[in-house]
Amino acid sequence: MRSKIALLATGGTIASMHSKDGLIPALRAEEILRFMPQLLELYDISSIDVFSLDSSNIQPEEWITLAAKAKEVSQSVDGIVITHGTDTMAYTASALSFMLQGLNIPVVFTGSQLPLNFPYSDAPLNLEEAFSAAVNAAAGVYIVFHNKIIFGTRAVKMRTLSFDAFDSINAPPVGYFDAEGIHLSEFPPSPTLSLPKDTMLNINSKVFLLKLMPGTDIEIFNHIKNAGYKGLVLEAFGLGGLHYIRRNLIDALKDLSDSGIITLVTTQCIYEKSDFSVYEVGHGILNSKNIYGAHDMTTEAAVTKLMWILGDKEKRLPYINLSLSHEMI
Ligand code: ASP
């Protein structure tokens, strides 16, 4: 019997056509499948158009719509493939990794660097591999792109043009494809949380992302507070440094946290973890109330995890230091 797969289309380059203003998403899910008759022979596919957007326009509101659709169809299929623009795919995949915790089927994001109807497009291969992962991988949220299978929380778009657009950051890919087909590694399952199932999709998008530069003014923290943000992801320097001479970021952060805003401090380095215990310039924030280290999480994972934690702060904050969906060691 053929496996049942739901194809959820959201737009992106994969579905794009030329317009007078440049590439614009145009293909519906059914039209995508018309380019891929081999998939229709292998799988029993239901196609659903969720929205048709360049992923630069996909925001937390769309994550909620998409997660709700995935949850709804998960009752009746063996796996889900989501076609999505590459530019913000890592954010959406990471957000859904937290929102869909406990879903018992694979949810696989894919897209392409060239539209499906262009010569030499990378879309056909990515689609074939995404469908294969959707029937073979363990339950969870993944990005499948150019022969790699990556946890949704570990993927980062690293290249703007190369077909090999995504890397798995600070963790090996979950699997890969070669001439022998799909290869999958085993990973310990995510923890089961005792949280109400009906509110898992709730997030609070009032999270600000701030990348420090030498001389960042502390005034910015007042603006963040006054604008009603509830969370801050701060990209500090290296292993976890913040300047405190002349402009005291450590005191400014503590003031912010005293006002109840939750800060997750990460590093500007793509690879490896942050650790505030090593240098004196990081020590000041250790053990501060409402300030947490993001360890080896990607920025995309830190932002979306914090939005999800703040979606039910009281119940979820105790889990902030726990790896919920493979996002950290
Ligand atoms: N701008 C496109 C998008 O993110 C890029 C892509 O899909 O590769 O929707």
Side-chain angles (χ1 to χ4, degrees):
M1 233 189 35
R2 292 178 306 162
S3 300
K4 285 186 172 183
I5 305 288
L7 172 65
L8 309 189
T10 72
T13 294
I14 193 166
S16 286
M17 305 271 229
H18 283 298
S19 79
K20 66 174 187 5
D21 299 318
L23 289 173
I24 188 164
L27 295 181
R28 295 161 51 83
E30 250 179 50
E31 291 168 313
I32 290 175
L33 289 174
R34 244 179 260 148
F35 281 87
M36 303 292 297
Q38 65 277 37
L39 292 180
L40 292 163
E41 275 174 31
L42 287 171
Y43 308 102
D44 176 1
I45 308 174
S46 44
S47 47
I48 299 160
D49 295 293
V50 188
F51 34 79
S52 182
L53 293 171
D54 187 290
S55 75
S56 299
N57 266 324
I58 292 181
Q59 299 167 55
E61 292 82 352
E62 281 74 30
W63 303 342
I64 295 168
T65 306
L66 186 57
K69 188 46 90 180
K71 196 174 169 191
E72 179 194 322
V73 302
S74 69
Q75 319 286 335
S76 53
V77 294
D78 304 306
I80 296 174
V81 172
I82 301 177
T83 50
H84 191 291
T86 59
D87 292 345
T88 67
M89 189 190 290
Y91 279 98
T92 308
S94 190
L96 265 62
S97 302
F98 298 113
M99 297 159 84
L100 296 177
Q101 289 172 84
L103 208 75
N104 58 355
I105 58 167
V107 176
V108 181
F109 281 80
T110 198
S112 60
Q113 295 281 61
L114 276 179
L116 182 54
N117 66 346
F118 277 31
Y120 313 114
S121 172
D122 51 332
L125 180 71
N126 288 345
L127 281 167
E128 284 182 31
E129 293 183 344
F131 274 78
S132 172
V135 297
N136 288 299
V141 178
Y142 308 93
I143 288 183
V144 169
F145 214 90
H146 196 71
N147 303 326
K148 278 184 243 172
I149 306 168
I150 306 172
F151 279 125
T153 52
R154 289 291 192 174
V156 173
K157 185 175 180 183
M158 300 291 284
R159 299 168 198 88
T160 59
L161 292 171
S162 303
F163 288 153
D164 187 12
F166 289 90
D167 282 348
S168 183
I169 303 300
N170 296 332
V174 182
Y176 61 94
F177 292 86
D178 65 12
E180 288 181 331
I182 187 167
H183 302 267
L184 285 161
S185 306
E186 298 233 330
F187 281 84
S190 300
T192 310
L193 312 180
S194 46
L195 289 172
K197 289 206 168 27
D198 53 326
T199 56
M200 287 297 276
L201 304 195
N202 291 3
I203 56 171
N204 184 336
S205 62
K206 290 301 283 180
V207 169
F208 194 83
L209 169 61
L210 177 64
K211 179 176 188 156
L212 291 188
M213 60 177 200
T216 293
D217 212 299
I218 54 169
E219 184 54 27
I220 189 73
F221 293 96
N222 285 333
H223 291 303
I224 292 169
K225 194 163 58 182
N226 294 338
Y229 283 95
K230 304 288 179 228
L232 169 69
V233 172
L234 184 71
E235 284 192 1
F237 303 118
L239 207 44
L242 305 107
H243 54 71
Y244 62 80
I245 59 167
R246 233 166 291 123
R247 302 171 184 88
N248 191 335
L249 290 175
I250 298 194
D251 279 355
L253 257 190
K254 284 186 176 159
D255 279 354
L256 198 73
S257 69
D258 283 344
S259 73
I261 293 176
I262 307 292
T263 300
L264 207 43
V265 188
T266 180
T267 169
Q268 309 191 354
C269 298
I270 293 274
Y271 293 107
E272 304 174 354
K273 64 174 182 174
S274 52
D275 182 347
F276 303 94
S277 65
V278 179
Y279 290 99
E280 181 257 356
V281 286
H283 251 243
I285 61 162
L286 279 174
N287 306 320
S288 307
K289 192 177 104 223
N290 291 336
I291 305 179
Y292 301 87
H295 306 282
D296 64 336
M297 267 191 261
T298 66
T299 293
E300 289 85 338
V303 165
T304 53
K305 183 174 183 175
L306 190 51
M307 286 184 184
W308 182 80
I309 294 278
L310 294 173
D312 188 348
K313 185 173 153 190
E314 211 174 295
K315 293 203 179 76
R316 296 177 186 168
L317 195 56
Y319 297 117
I320 195 163
N321 283 326
L322 191 71
S323 184
L324 302 174
S325 194
H326 305 280
E327 73 277 13
M328 59 187 194
I329 294 170

